[in-house]
Amino acid sequence: MKERLFLFITTILLFIGLAEAKSEKIKYGKFVYYEGEVVNEQPVGDGCIVFLSPTNNLERVAVISGKFQGNNIFKAEITSNLLPSIKTIGINPIKFETQGKIGKVEAFDFDFSNVSFLNDSTEYTFIDLNIALSICDKKWKMNWISDPIMPDGNKTGDNEIIVITKKFPIPENIAEYWHTVNNVWVGFYLNGGKLKLNSPIFYEFNDAIYDCGSHRFFNYEYTPLKNKVYFKILPNKTWSGTRIIEDSKTKIIGNDKQVSIYLNDSIHYKGSLMDPMLPVSQSFTYNSIIPKTGTLFTSSGNKRIVNGITEDIMRSRLEEDKIDNDLIEDVISGKNSEAYVKLQQQKRNAQKLEAEYEELKLAEILKSKWNCKEILFSGPIQGSKEGDEVLAMLFNLDHTYIDGEVALALQSDGEGAFAVVAVPSKKAGNLSRPKAMQLLGACEKISKHITGRWSIQGNDILINGKKVATLSPDNKTVKYEGMVGAIMKITIKK
């Protein structure tokens, strides 16, 4: 829901101010130049960097096109016989630095770290990749460094680029037990200026890393986890090993035939489970353990469990009282008492009713004031007396040097979003470079984006309890006041 709100705002505001850029050429060096939209002698907007052959200035060795913001390239497309031919996607840009003065540049450093791209319609993200292009012996040559630490603590090979993706199918022998993968760590190698896929290396889940070559699960040692796993799942649906959960207080050792369960290093249960593969499932929790046949060790004595009969009796009684399944599991596991979970169930029921009432209230506000379920207010940035005083004191400027937009979105389910996007105005093009950079910094501080639960107190509209705007008496506009101001009108209503 929050991602949809973010896109709802971003789609409207993303390219504010770019129309004022001029189409120019920046000559970095004799054999490389930028061509496209420029603001204050910096690439801003649609454009491309062109690398020419040092022996034939009519031959394009490489072209990197996209949306530029200074030394950042968004939505880039690379066509080249040196760099991999890729299209980047997502919010992370390719970053580049030049070596030497403008006009005499002969080397570029590109940082592809965390940049996502498409390869054969599949999305990947570089883990750690830096590429250097430089002129040597009258040719553009490429050197690259990709040296991420792998989940098992090893480093990559000299000729391998490591990326992550979510698009690889989970191996068949574990797909039944592990469903949601965070990332798949994949190796690429460079061949003829193109990326070639080696094979999946590791599958990264919330609780573990799976090595598909050895059928082995193990802990991702660089991420603190509550669950620790050291076991194998073999293709014939058997397993063996150790799993530690709940901050190491519970340890399960065994296989699909029999397990020994320890609590605080003391034996708790020994025997078989209703689901023999349960301890190696991704969703496994201590509360979901159901003994089948074995011995339960308690302070009051040992209890024999045969086909889970003790658990069934307890479950039936709690189900009759309409207790949620997870709370029932708490009682069955001995984690909480019946009296405690019944009190928790009462609290849950009250919280659910309160949440439903709050959503109905907000939906009624949208219906009564604007007859809709979703509404968007937006309007251009305006100056304010206080803001002009601050701008004059800091930069000797006023609000006429700033353009932009302010928007507020409200939904009947209680989700809201507020955004201020400030950019230098066309007038700012006459400023000196230092002054322009100061103004750009001021615009970044003025800009903001807030998402969360919205409410109305009087005429004040709040998100997460903080006032963001004031509603007019006729409900047709909202007013924003800050370093800059805005009167926002209704632009979308659904």
Side-chain angles (χ1 to χ4, degrees), residues 307-325:
N307 293 323
I309 187 66
T310 301
E311 180 272 334
D312 288 342
I313 294 173
M314 181 68 72
R315 182 183 297 276
S316 296
R317 183 163 62 244
L318 293 173
E319 285 178 347
E320 287 178 1
D321 291 333
K322 297 182 179 180
I323 305 299
D324 288 345
N325 286 336

Side-chain angles (χ1 to χ4, degrees), residues 264-449:
N264 296 316
D265 296 325
S266 298
I267 185 69
H268 176 66
Y269 176 77
K270 187 173 183 177
S272 62
L273 302 176
M274 287 290 187
D275 180 359
M277 297 299 290
L278 179 68
V280 293
S281 298
Q282 184 175 9
S283 59
F284 170 65
T285 65
Y286 173 71
N287 297 328
S288 60
I289 296 174
I290 303 176
K292 184 177 181 181
T293 300
T295 302
L296 182 67
F297 300 88
T298 69
S299 58
S300 59
N302 301 337
K303 292 184 179 180
R304 180 69 176 165
I305 307 297
V306 180
N307 293 323
I309 187 66
T310 301
E311 180 272 334
D312 288 342
I313 294 173
M314 181 68 72
R315 182 183 297 276
S316 296
R317 183 163 62 244
L318 293 173
E319 285 178 347
E320 287 178 1
D321 291 333
K322 297 182 179 180
I323 305 299
D324 288 345
N325 286 336
D326 62 320
L327 296 179
I328 292 176
E329 297 299 342
D330 285 351
V331 176
I332 293 170
S333 67
K335 183 178 180 180
N336 292 312
S337 67
E338 283 189 73
Y340 178 79
V341 299
K342 287 178 180 178
L343 180 61
Q344 292 299 107
Q345 186 67 58
Q346 291 175 4
K347 290 180 179 179
R348 285 187 181 185
N349 294 342
Q351 290 171 353
K352 184 178 179 181
L353 287 174
E354 185 178 348
E356 291 174 351
Y357 174 72
E358 183 65 23
E359 286 193 9
L360 287 173
K361 222 170 42 167
L362 295 176
E364 185 58 34
I365 290 175
L366 288 179
K367 183 178 180 181
S368 63
K369 290 183 179 295
W370 301 290
N371 193 28
C372 66
K373 294 183 178 180
E374 297 181 10
I375 192 166
L376 174 70
F377 295 88
S378 64
I381 282 177
Q382 299 174 355
S384 68
K385 180 180 178 182
E386 295 79 4
D388 278 351
E389 289 176 353
V390 174
L391 289 171
M393 179 178 64
L394 294 177
F395 311 113
N396 196 24
L397 301 174
D398 60 23
H399 71 274
T400 60
Y401 287 85
I402 298 175
D403 279 342
E405 193 88 358
V406 182
L408 173 68
L410 306 176
Q411 291 185 171
S412 59
D413 62 359
E415 293 294 333
F418 176 74
V420 179
V421 176
V423 296
S425 67
K426 183 177 181 181
K427 182 178 178 180
N430 298 322
L431 296 174
S432 65
R433 178 177 174 76
K435 185 72 71 175
M437 295 304 293
Q438 288 180 331
L439 178 62
L440 186 60
C443 289
E444 291 176 351
K445 291 181 180 179
I446 291 171
S447 299
K448 62 181 67 176
H449 181 249

Side-chain angles (χ1 to χ4, degrees), residues 5-6 9 376 407-410 415-419 449-452 454 463:
L5 282 169
F6 176 79
I9 295 291
L376 174 70
L408 173 68
L410 306 176
E415 293 294 333
F418 176 74
H449 181 249
I450 303 171
T451 59
W454 69 272
I463 294 182

Side-chain angles (χ1 to χ4, degrees), residues 27-256:
K27 189 173 183 181
Y28 288 111
K30 188 174 181 180
F31 303 107
V32 58
Y33 63 87
Y34 166 85
E35 189 174 44
E37 295 177 313
V38 174
V39 174
N40 298 327
E41 301 180 356
Q42 290 289 317
V44 177
D46 293 326
C48 63
I49 297 179
V50 179
F51 296 84
L52 302 174
S53 169
T55 58
N56 180 3
N57 60 10
L58 296 179
E59 178 186 351
R60 292 186 169 192
V61 175
V63 177
I64 304 177
S65 59
K67 295 189 178 297
F68 284 72
Q69 184 178 335
N71 285 15
N72 296 317
I73 312 173
F74 298 85
K75 307 293 183 183
E77 182 171 356
I78 300 173
T79 54
S80 169
N81 55 11
L82 291 174
L83 292 168
S85 297
I86 61 174
K87 292 182 178 180
T88 69
I89 57 177
I91 62 174
N92 293 324
I94 299 173
K95 301 175 183 178
F96 70 92
E97 296 290 340
T98 58
Q99 297 182 20
K101 295 182 179 180
I102 298 298
K104 297 183 179 181
V105 174
E106 292 188 351
F108 277 73
D109 293 321
F110 292 89
D111 184 359
F112 286 79
S113 299
N114 300 318
V115 172
S116 298
F117 65 98
L118 291 176
N119 187 65
D120 293 333
S121 300
T122 299
E123 179 180 345
Y124 300 91
T125 301
F126 291 111
I127 298 293
D128 181 10
L129 177 63
N130 291 276
I131 293 179
L133 292 181
S134 60
I135 296 177
C136 182
D137 297 329
K138 296 184 179 180
K139 290 183 179 180
W140 283 102
K141 292 190 176 181
M142 181 183 72
N143 292 309
W144 54 277
I145 300 175
S146 178
D147 194 24
I149 300 295
M150 299 298 290
D152 62 349
N154 294 320
K155 293 188 176 181
T156 57
D158 292 336
N159 297 316
E160 196 168 29
I161 298 173
I162 299 301
V163 299
I164 57 175
T165 183
K166 297 181 185 294
K167 300 300 182 181
F168 277 77
I170 298 174
E172 184 176 352
N173 64 302
I174 67 165
E176 183 177 347
Y177 313 108
W178 292 74
H179 312 291
T180 306
V181 64
N182 292 1
N183 292 300
V184 182
W185 296 63
V186 179
F188 278 95
Y189 65 94
L190 202 58
N191 182 15
K194 295 183 178 181
L195 290 174
K196 298 293 184 179
L197 178 66
N198 271 347
S199 61
I201 301 175
F202 295 114
Y203 286 78
E204 177 186 338
F205 297 91
N206 287 338
D207 295 320
I209 296 292
Y210 175 70
D211 181 349
C212 61
S214 65
H215 310 297
R216 180 174 65 103
F217 278 86
F218 58 94
N219 246 69
Y220 192 176
E221 296 182 4
Y222 300 96
T223 303
L225 297 171
K226 296 181 83 172
N227 291 321
K228 294 184 179 180
V229 292
Y230 303 95
F231 59 85
K232 289 184 177 181
I233 299 180
L234 299 178
N236 62 351
K237 293 187 178 181
T238 62
W239 73 274
S240 63
T242 301
R243 188 160 186 178
I244 303 172
I245 62 173
E246 294 182 4
D247 298 327
S248 301
K249 294 179 181 179
T250 303
K251 180 190 295 184
I252 297 184
I253 302 174
N255 52 45
D256 53 292

